[in-house]
Every structure is written in C-alpha cells, then in structure tokens.
C-alpha cells in the first residue's frame, strides 16, 4: 500500500490526507499519458534523512516537462525543500518519493496550461528485490527516439514498460530487457543495463534510453576505483558472451542478474564488478558525498 490512514501528500500547494485527495477524470494526462514524473529515494543516514541527488531528479523533472511542452512554474530548490517537508510530515526517512506533474482538462491533442503537482512518499523495498534476477529479452522494443523523447520521464512511455514486464512475468521471468529499434540492447523496463565482459563494463549510450541518475552515479563510482566503462551499442550476441550483468535505477538500486533467457551468466555475482559497485553505491547513498568514499 502506498499510504496509510494518516499519510499526507502535497497537492498544488496544500497538504492533504492521501485518502482524501481527488482529481478530475477529464485531465489530458489521464486520457493521453502526457504527464511527467520522478522516482527518488531518501536514505536514513547519520545526518538524518537524505534525499539522494534530489536536485538532479527535479532538474530532470523540469527537463521532462519542457520536452513535453508542459508548464513548470516551480523552482528546483522549492521542490527539494518540499521533499524534505513531505518526509518530515510523514515521519519517513528511508522512503521512495514520487513527484508527478499532470495536466488539467483538455481533450485536444495540444499543449494545455492547467498544470498540477503531486508529491507522495512511502516505504518501498528495492523494486526488483534482493535475489539475482532471471531476465528475458523482450519482444517489445523501447520506443523509437524519433517518435517521442525517450530521455524524458513521461507517464505514457510506461505503457511500453508495463507490456514488457507483463510478458516477462507471464513467462516466469523476473524482468525484461528491451532492445532499441535498431536491435541493440537498450535497457530494462525501469532500469539501465550494464554488462561485464573481460574485465570491462559496457552500457548502452544515450539515445534510446532514459539516462538514469543511478547509471551516471555508477559510472562515476567505477571511474573512482578504475573500472573502465564504455558506453557502446551492442547486440544480443553480447549477452551470450557476458561474464556478468546488472540493472541500475533509483527504485532497483544495483540489481544483479543471474541469467538471461535461462542461460546463466558465467561469473559468480559476488566476484563481479557489479557486486563491488553495488556496495559502493550503498555507501554513496548513505554518505551522499563522494569525499567520504572508501572501497568496501
Ligand atoms: N530507465 C527507465 C525506463 C526508468 O524508468 C528508470 C527509472 N527512472 C531508469 C532507467 C533509471 O533511472 P534512475 O537511475 O534515474 O532512477
């Protein structure tokens, strides 16, 4: 459940009980999927609740809105402040925060000026769980970047993700891995993909993916300890040659993959670069600073 009896949400300037919040059924977002959102995590650190890369997430929310011609009358700093207030009002420290910007009544396929802001937070375990994942390559492709802004976090794009995970779960897998419209590996339904091969990490470049904030963090952490990472297109054949692989995302954090299409990856997860980076990521989010970093 995403809220309890006394949970509070932020809605257009007011703090409301989550179970009393309402919205109009005529909104453009509801009908056509033209809205933007974020997924953010806060961690219980020794300095209290810290929202990891809050500014970067709200900057991406702004970017997503701009790319969809959605007005964005909020300042990033104000949104960061509201996030901390949201946590405080709900007495949450380890939480997932969900900002959503959605549009008012407009049945035309045109921009609309009426814009709403919703913020909620709840306790959410790691999205893909703690176990090594059994992944299938999806029959669904990621949306073509010439048909929409794939680097924006737009509500409607997630119909593609829902189709892919529904297919994967129906076939007994944990998660889907999607190709782009050129047949290259792109990403998971809601997480970026990394592959380890001969001591190098590879990840698909920007263009057909949502360039994740976790992906960026992982690339920076890899640099700190000298693991080479190459952003590069690769096809399905590389999946067979991979030593190890993992997904990255705010909700999933760093999620190790055990097998792809029922073929086990060669290396033990505990021996992989991904495993080391997962521990570093944990330390990073708990410190919220690179300078405290020590290798674990
Ligand atoms: N790809 C997609 C499609 C996603 O929905 C997400 C989650 N926002 C990611 C990648 C990972 O992004 P981030 O690390 O910023 O959460």
């Amino acid at each position: 459940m995403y809220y309890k009896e006394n949970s509070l949400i932020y809605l257009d300037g007011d703090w409301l009980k989550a179970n009393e919040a309402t919205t109009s059924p005529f909104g453009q977002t509801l009908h056509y999927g033209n809205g933007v959102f974020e997924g953010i995590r806060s961690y219980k650190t020794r300095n209290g609740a810290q929202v990891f890369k809050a500014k970067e997430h709200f900057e991406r929310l702004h970017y997503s809105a701009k790319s969809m011609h959605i007005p964005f009358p909020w300042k990033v700093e104000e949104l960061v402040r509201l996030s901390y207030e949201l946590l405080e009002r709900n007495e949450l420290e380890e939480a997932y925060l969900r900002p959503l910007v959605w549009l008012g009544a407009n049945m035309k396929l045109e921009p609309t000026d009426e814009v709403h802001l919703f913020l909620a937070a709840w306790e959410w375990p790691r999205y893909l769980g703690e176990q090594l994942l059994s992944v299938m390559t999806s029959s669904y492709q990621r949306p073509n970047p010439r048909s929409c802004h794939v680097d924006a976090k737009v509500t409607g794009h997630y119909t593609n993700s829902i189709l892919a995970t529904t297919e994967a779960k129906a076939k007994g897998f944990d998660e889907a891995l999607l190709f782009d419209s050129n047949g290259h590996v792109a990403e998971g339904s809601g997480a970026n993909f990394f592959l380890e091969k001969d001591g190098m990490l590879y990840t698909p470049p920007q263009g057909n993916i949502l360039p994740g904030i976790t992906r960026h963090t992982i690339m920076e952490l890899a640099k700190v300890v000298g693991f080479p990472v190459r952003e590069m297109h690769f096809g399905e054949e590389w999946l067979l040659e991979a030593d190890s692989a993992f997904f990255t995302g705010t909700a999933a954090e760093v999620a190790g993959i055990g097998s792809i299409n029922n073929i086990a990856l060669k290396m033990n997860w505990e021996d992989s670069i991904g495993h080391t980076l997962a521990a570093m990521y944990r330390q990073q989010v708990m410190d919220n600073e690179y300078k405290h970093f020590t290798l674990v």
Side-chain angles (χ1 to χ4, degrees):
M1 193 53 164
Y2 304 107
Y3 57 88
K4 301 187 189 123
E5 176 65 27
N6 290 320
S7 300
L8 292 177
I9 58 145
Y10 177 87
L11 188 60
D12 295 332
D14 293 318
W15 295 96
L16 305 176
K17 282 180 83 168
N19 56 12
E20 289 170 4
T22 57
T23 184
S24 159
F26 290 93
Q28 194 188 54
T29 307
L30 191 59
H31 287 258
Y32 304 129
N34 186 20
V36 293
F37 70 106
E38 268 305 317
I40 312 177
R41 269 195 194 276
S42 72
Y43 292 89
K44 183 179 172 166
T45 75
R46 57 174 181 266
N47 300 318
Q50 291 288 326
V51 181
F52 187 62
K53 299 208 167 172
K55 188 163 165 276
E56 285 87 338
H57 279 283
F58 286 115
E59 278 167 357
R60 185 170 67 187
L61 186 68
H62 187 187
Y63 169 80
S64 298
K66 211 165 65 181
S67 58
M68 295 307 290
H69 312 285
I70 293 175
F72 196 86
W74 307 281
K75 291 247 176 325
V76 164
E77 297 72 30
E78 173 65 359
L79 297 172
V80 173
R81 197 195 60 72
L82 283 171
S83 301
Y84 280 97
E85 188 175 344
L86 175 72
L87 293 171
E88 232 176 271
R89 284 181 182 261
N90 287 289
E91 294 177 5
L92 287 169
E93 289 190 302
E94 291 267 322
Y96 180 83
L97 291 85
R98 169 53 57 84
L100 170 70
V101 171
W102 87 95
L103 294 168
N106 187 353
M107 293 298 138
K108 292 184 178 171
L109 302 174
E110 290 173 7
T112 189
D113 286 338
E114 186 192 324
V115 71
H116 299 274
L117 173 66
F118 163 82
L119 293 176
W122 60 88
E123 282 171 357
W124 222 20
R126 289 178 62 197
Y127 186 72
L128 296 169
E130 302 293 330
Q131 80 293 356
L132 283 187
L133 300 169
S134 155
V135 168
M136 76 166 267
T137 51
S138 184
S139 68
Y140 295 97
Q141 291 178 346
R142 289 300 293 167
N144 186 323
R146 293 179 69 179
S147 64
C148 60
H149 298 289
V150 290
D151 60 347
K153 206 163 163 63
V154 178
T155 57
H157 294 178
Y158 285 79
T159 53
N160 169 255
S161 301
I162 291 169
L163 285 169
T165 50
T166 303
E167 176 189 51
K169 300 241 163 168
K171 293 191 170 166
F173 294 89
D174 298 318
E175 174 57 323
L177 176 62
L178 291 84
F179 296 102
D180 65 25
S181 45
N182 299 314
H184 297 127
V185 172
E187 60 181 332
S189 62
N192 294 114
F193 180 75
F194 286 79
L195 175 151
E196 176 180 345
K197 185 166 146 12
D198 302 328
M200 283 276 288
L201 277 182
Y202 298 88
T203 194
Q206 295 194 33
N208 288 279
I209 59 167
L210 184 88
I213 290 167
T214 320
R215 171 184 179 274
H216 186 71
T217 307
I218 286 295
M219 286 167 62
E220 289 195 337
L221 290 175
K223 212 179 339 167
V224 168
V225 284
F227 290 137
V229 185
R230 267 190 79 185
E231 290 181 83
M232 191 184 101
H233 289 298
F234 49 87
E236 187 163 16
E237 67 287 354
W238 271 54
L239 301 176
L240 295 170
E241 293 171 22
D243 295 320
S244 177
F246 57 93
F247 285 121
T248 63
T250 299
E253 301 181 324
V254 179
I257 296 173
S259 63
I260 302 178
N261 295 337
N262 288 322
I263 300 171
L265 290 164
K266 294 180 202 160
M267 192 181 264
N268 280 333
W269 171 242
E270 288 70 26
D271 300 328
S272 70
I273 298 176
H275 183 261
T276 303
L277 290 171
M280 290 170 71
Y281 183 74
R282 188 74 209 165
Q283 195 172 345
Q284 178 70 74
V285 296
M286 296 308 288
D287 280 357
N288 220 355
E289 293 272 2
Y290 289 114
K291 58 178 181 278
H292 297 309
F293 183 73
T294 52
L295 185 54
V296 281

